[in-house]
Amino acid sequence: MKRNRKNIDSVGGDVSTPAAQVTAMIAAGERARLGDVLVSENLLLPEQVSAALNLQLESGRQLGAILVEQGLVDPRVLAQALATQLGLPTIDLRRESPTDEALAMVSESVAVAFNIVPMRLTDGVLDVALADASSQSVRDELERLPVRAVNIYLAPLQDIKIALSTHYRVLSAVDDQVQQIWADAAPETAIALEVGGGDAPIIQLVNKIVAQALRDRASDIHVEPTEGRIRIRYRVDGALREVLSLPSSAGPELVSRIKIMAEMDIVERRRPQDGQFHMNLDGVGLDVRVATSATIWGETAVLRLLDKSRSMKQLAELGMPTATYERFLSIVHKPYGMIICSGPTGSGKTTTLYATLAEISRSELNVMTIEDPVEYVFPAVNQMQINQQADVTFAVGLKSILRQDPDVILVGEIRDQETAKIAVQSALTGHLVMSSLHATDASSALYRLLDMGIEPFLVASSLVGVVGQRLVRKVCEACTVSYEPSAQEMRWYTHLGGPPKDRFMRGAGCNFCSNTGYRDRLGVYEVLEVTDEVGQLLVGGGTPHEVRDLAQRQGMPTMGREAMALVAADVTTIDEVIRNVYLS
């Protein structure tokens, strides 16, 4: 079996070959060293390559990986340099997608283990994308493929991994379980589901729905009955997209299976229910929160995915601008008082609370939490979880915590008057209390407490700071292009204090961002410090708008201004800010 491989052994040595000689070697089909190629193309200085080679000798790692890790070379530039060195073509996985025929030639396990992306199959010749064409194990695996020949293309390792997770689908409309359910189109009873074997189509289908959501970086799964069908949607980077359609007759069966997993009442279909379950998928521990409710078309279920493998962010990694970060830092290091994180559902409040807890947690402090559910486990923190069946609510749990001599208390969410009163009293009696609250912005959070029946003077005395936040989608770095904003967008940009800017950027849409132009999200924050003046205005009956204006005069940048600063830095777009950030 022929391959278009060149001499692709490992590289090393000093960097002493003149640029002209490197060019001549490449033209003659001879192999130049990677360091020589990078220097000859003025991508690196000889001393930079020499230092990286010394690290390679010490660690045994590849030179390219060392250069990328040190930030000396962009991964795509490195891929092009490797292609020049080896005499191989490159491929842009952002623009080109594998065919189903090609994917069928390489099993998922082999593709993931050896970072091989099969792209096209033509007359028995398979085109593959690789990150490391010098690996003997990869070449041996290519030799075993049942094809006549293999054409090798190079791509950055990061692009390879994204392509593998994108194109090897656990779930699709042509899946065997999906097709069987469409063919049968007849619901089974919940009892049959409960006693059925693990290979029942509906059981496998639910597992695949959750597994694919994890691969797609989804935060939520929506199972929604509509007229004539069941719609499955994933929320990825804050936006919903449909991934699967099922016959309406499969709805009760599907929701019943989810209820069984979450230990919920499968007979009760009229009243809302909550539950949770744990799964291990692709070696990742996953906690899933389930909420069901009845609609005119049937019972709907929403699954919130909590990835246990996701590393917890530190406070400095949240993306707060320097001034906002320092302002918040001065608040969280106060010895007592209450700190509130405000925003809508899914705005990153829990992430901010955990990062704050990690910032202030010390061995000499007794730190206790009451959460629903516990998303991250802190080794040195006493964490309590809500248990409705045992009548452990936020209010009950908080009362229990106060008898445990705590220094710092984290309350997952303030939902009712009783919890709010206990939290305020705790802050007034020398404890540092942190919690989240649903509110539109930082100043509105103060009035949400008033709405719950807390006296204004108690709010002013207990609160030391409020952080309001939103999440905005980031422009996909793989498909960034310039564009001309509309007149209305420019008016918003100017109104919210965006600095002068000649060129605006957005994502054109590519394979890596599912053609949305966005990939991943970033927090936008405003930090309101409850000063004496703010407290006096609150007690005196000031409006939220007056409190907001006073906070701005005292140095608080608003979320709108912070968001437009991200637009100015080409991190997000004006449209995304208008869609997600509260504008006053």
Side-chain angles (χ1 to χ4, degrees):
M1 188 182 346
K2 289 187 176 180
R3 303 282 193 261
N4 73 337
R5 296 193 305 267
K6 303 293 183 181
N7 180 13
I8 47 179
D9 296 328
S10 59
V11 298
D14 59 8
V15 186
S16 57
T17 308
Q21 187 176 342
V22 172
T23 304
M25 291 171 63
I26 295 172
E30 299 178 19
R31 178 174 167 193
R33 291 172 298 189
L34 176 60
D36 293 337
V37 174
L38 293 169
V39 172
S40 69
E41 295 184 0
N42 297 318
L43 297 172
L44 289 178
L45 298 173
E47 51 268 28
Q48 290 176 313
V49 176
S50 295
L53 285 170
N54 290 332
L55 288 176
Q56 182 191 31
L57 292 174
E58 295 175 4
S59 64
R61 299 169 59 215
Q62 292 182 325
L63 176 62
I66 293 172
L67 294 172
V68 170
E69 185 180 275
Q70 292 183 334
L72 297 174
V73 176
D74 182 86
R76 290 188 175 83
V77 172
L78 175 65
Q80 186 59 58
L82 284 169
T84 301
Q85 178 207 17
L86 303 174
L88 293 172
T90 60
I91 189 169
D92 189 351
L93 295 177
R94 299 169 294 178
R95 306 299 178 190
E96 298 197 43
S97 300
T99 63
D100 292 337
E101 295 80 8
L103 290 170
M105 299 308 299
V106 183
S107 68
E108 180 183 354
S109 59
V110 169
V112 172
F114 296 97
N115 291 313
I116 300 171
V117 181
M119 298 299 298
R120 294 174 293 268
L121 181 65
T122 308
D123 297 329
V125 178
L126 181 65
D127 296 344
V128 300
L130 303 176
D132 182 11
S134 64
S135 170
Q136 183 61 49
S137 60
V138 172
R139 288 185 288 184
D140 291 342
E141 200 60 44
L142 293 177
E143 290 282 353
R144 300 188 186 99
L145 296 179
V147 294
R148 182 168 56 85
V150 172
N151 292 328
I152 296 176
Y153 295 81
L154 294 184
L157 179 60
Q158 181 183 7
D159 290 7
I160 294 282
K161 290 186 177 298
I162 294 175
L164 288 172
S165 64
T166 300
H167 298 296
Y168 276 99
R169 307 289 293 178
V170 177
L171 178 76
S172 70
V174 296
D175 186 84
D176 291 340
Q177 278 74 36
V178 176
Q179 292 298 306
Q180 182 174 342
I181 289 172
W182 269 112
D184 295 342
E188 299 178 20
T189 65
I191 295 175
L193 282 171
E194 190 169 12
V195 299
D199 59 348
I202 196 68
I203 293 176
Q204 293 189 46
L205 179 60
V206 171
N207 291 342
K208 288 184 176 183
I209 289 173
V210 178
Q212 189 61 59
L214 181 63
R215 291 193 181 187
D216 287 354
R217 303 179 298 107
S219 60
D220 301 87
I221 303 171
H222 291 246
V223 180
E224 303 166 326
T226 60
E227 186 175 13
R229 68 187 181 104
I230 299 295
R231 179 174 61 176
I232 310 296
R233 294 196 291 174
Y234 293 164
R235 186 178 294 279
V236 181
D237 294 334
L240 284 168
R241 66 167 181 252
E242 185 171 334
V243 295
L244 191 63
S245 178
L246 297 171
S248 57
S249 58
E253 189 176 358
L254 185 63
V255 174
S256 292
R257 173 57 191 166
I258 294 170
K259 283 183 170 182
I260 290 170
M261 298 173 71
E263 299 181 349
M264 297 159 66
D265 185 353
I266 62 174
V267 177
E268 177 58 68
R269 296 183 180 276
R270 295 171 298 177
R271 64 179 179 85
Q273 294 187 62
D274 295 309
Q276 62 187 78
F277 62 89
H278 179 83
M279 296 182 73
N280 281 295
L281 296 169
D282 295 335
V284 173
L286 188 69
D287 279 338
V288 183
R289 283 189 286 178
V290 181
T292 63
S293 60
T295 69
I296 60 172
W297 298 112
E299 202 170 15
T300 183
V302 177
L303 288 70
R304 169 65 60 88
L305 308 183
L306 304 173
D307 184 355
K308 290 292 187 180
S309 69
R310 187 179 53 184
S311 60
M312 188 175 60
K313 290 182 179 293
Q314 300 297 312
L315 196 57
E317 299 172 344
L318 293 181
M320 291 183 181
T322 302
T324 302
Y325 171 71
E326 292 177 350
R327 186 183 184 91
F328 188 51
L329 206 61
S330 67
I331 292 172
V332 301
H333 282 293
K334 292 188 176 182
Y336 57 87
M338 186 158 67
I339 300 169
I340 295 290
C341 287
S342 67
T345 301
S347 60
K349 299 186 298 295
T350 300
T351 299
T352 301
L353 284 175
Y354 276 136
T356 305
L357 196 63
E359 173 70 28
I360 63 177
S361 181
R362 301 189 303 274
S363 59
E364 62 267 24
L365 296 178
N366 180 18
V367 181
M368 303 194 70
T369 75
I370 176 71
E371 307 169 61
D372 182 26
V374 173
E375 296 185 23
Y376 292 101
V377 176
F378 288 83
V381 174
N382 300 303
Q383 296 173 272
M384 182 185 301
Q385 184 159 303
I386 292 296
N387 188 335
Q388 296 290 350
Q389 293 180 342
D391 197 30
V392 179
T393 63
F394 277 114
V396 172
L398 188 50
K399 288 178 181 178
S400 172
I401 284 175
L402 289 173
R403 292 191 289 268
Q404 304 292 318
D405 186 30
D407 296 297
V408 179
I409 303 171
L410 186 149
V411 182
E413 184 181 344
I414 293 179
R415 299 176 179 173
D416 52 58
Q417 183 184 50
E418 185 179 7
T419 305
K421 283 185 175 181
I422 300 171
V424 167
Q425 290 167 2
S426 302
L428 290 172
T429 53
H431 303 92
L432 182 63
V433 181
M434 296 182 293
S435 187
S436 67
L437 192 65
H438 286 89
T440 53
D441 58 15
S443 57
S444 298
L446 303 175
Y447 290 84
R448 283 281 291 119
L449 290 173
L450 298 183
D451 290 340
M452 290 182 181
I454 308 301
E455 294 291 340
F457 73 92
L458 291 177
V459 175
S461 303
S462 60
L463 247 67
V464 293
V466 183
V467 54
Q469 62 184 86
R470 290 288 193 282
L471 292 175
V472 294
R473 292 182 293 176
K474 298 169 61 177
V475 172
C476 176
E477 296 179 358
C479 58
T480 305
V481 296
S482 61
Y483 79 107
E484 188 70 29
S486 66
Q488 183 180 9
E489 288 178 330
M490 286 305 301
R491 283 195 294 270
W492 277 118
Y493 181 76
T494 304
H495 172 69
L496 292 172
K501 185 175 173 62
D502 296 328
R503 189 179 67 162
F504 292 82
M505 308 299 291
R506 69 180 176 189
C510 66
N511 292 334
F512 291 178
C513 61
S514 300
N515 292 312
T516 63
Y518 300 98
R519 184 175 174 87
D520 294 329
R521 290 190 291 175
L522 184 69
V524 181
Y525 306 90
E526 62 181 17
V527 177
L528 187 157
E529 185 175 2
V530 183
T531 61
D532 291 340
E533 293 79 10
V534 170
Q536 290 171 6
L537 184 59
L538 191 65
V539 173
T543 66
H545 187 73
E546 291 173 335
V547 170
R548 187 175 180 81
D549 286 345
L550 175 58
Q552 289 183 64
R553 291 196 299 271
Q554 292 181 340
M556 181 191 79
T558 65
M559 278 190 284
R561 182 178 292 274
E562 299 283 37
M564 288 309 175
L566 294 177
V567 173
D570 297 327
V571 174
T572 190
T573 63
I574 301 173
D575 178 68
E576 180 68 7
V577 172
I578 295 173
R579 191 178 73 89
N580 282 294
V581 179
Y582 177 76
L583 304 174
S584 61

